[in-house]
Amino acid sequence: MDAFTENVHQYQDRIYGFACAYLKDDAAAKDVTQDVFIRYWNHYDEIDDDRAIAWLMRVTRNACIDLLRKRQTRRKSVTVDSENLHRAPDGEANPHADAEATDFETRLDAALAQVDEPYRSVVTMRELHNMKYKEISDALDMPINTVKVYIHRGRKKLRHQLAEVLDYEST
């Protein structure tokens, strides 16, 4: 029980962060994180501690994909972006810098949403969550060379999408 609790504390922020980046929804990311750790509890005896983060990331990615598929079939007409609600203004905040950062995040999210799978997952894991190639390889159950190729292609696709988003918004 102590080892399980320790692993949960060690990995919960990474799992939540990945789910939040993938879903763009704070509440849904919390739900997915909770579901992932319930699954982890149910399979804890079957998972080596060395491969725990890979298993958790793979389960998180699959849970996010499942949730997005459910949303698509329901065709919700109202969406709420609650991702930024937890951010409180800083006492010495620079409104101009904050606006630029928020603007860039919005553009990055829009561009990343246009990148197909598996490139989006690989780039998100590498660039937003600083995962190592081996961790991504284990999490997605693909050879490390394939991960490297997908990261290269994903970055290229993301650059292309960012250029399109920036050109579209400037006209």
Side-chain angles (χ1 to χ4, degrees), residues 74-134:
R74 291 183 192 157
R75 303 270 184 217
K76 290 195 174 198
S77 60
V78 177
T79 60
V80 177
D81 180 17
S82 60
E83 179 181 345
N84 295 319
L85 290 178
H86 66 280
R87 295 183 183 173
D90 187 20
E92 297 189 24
N94 179 346
H96 182 68
D98 289 346
E100 284 184 7
T102 302
D103 184 44
F104 178 75
E105 283 181 28
T106 303
R107 290 176 180 182
L108 180 62
D109 288 344
L112 196 54
Q114 298 300 314
V115 175
D116 297 329
E117 283 298 333
Y119 306 110
R120 182 183 338 150
S121 293
V122 173
V123 169
T124 300
M125 288 178 176
R126 177 69 184 151
E127 301 302 333
L128 300 180
H129 298 286
N130 299 320
M131 291 179 67
K132 297 176 181 159
Y133 292 133
K134 178 70 172 132

Side-chain angles (χ1 to χ4, degrees), residues 3 7-8 10 13 20 28 32 39 72-73 92 97 100 105 122 124 127 132 143-144 155 163:
N7 283 349
V8 169
Q10 181 179 357
D13 290 339
C20 208
V32 164
R39 290 180 194 166
Q72 271 186 333
T73 58
E92 297 189 24
E100 284 184 7
E105 283 181 28
V122 173
T124 300
E127 301 302 333
K132 297 176 181 159
I144 198 160
R155 286 174 178 159

Side-chain angles (χ1 to χ4, degrees), residues 18-19 22-23 32 36 39 54-70 117 121 125 139-141:
F18 179 72
Y22 203 96
L23 297 170
V32 164
V36 166
R39 290 180 194 166
W55 187 91
L56 288 166
M57 293 301 281
R58 181 171 42 249
V59 171
T60 303
R61 178 179 176 264
N62 292 341
C64 290
I65 290 170
D66 290 345
L67 183 64
L68 291 174
R69 284 182 184 150
K70 285 180 189 175
E117 283 298 333
S121 293
M125 288 178 176
L140 299 180
D141 196 29

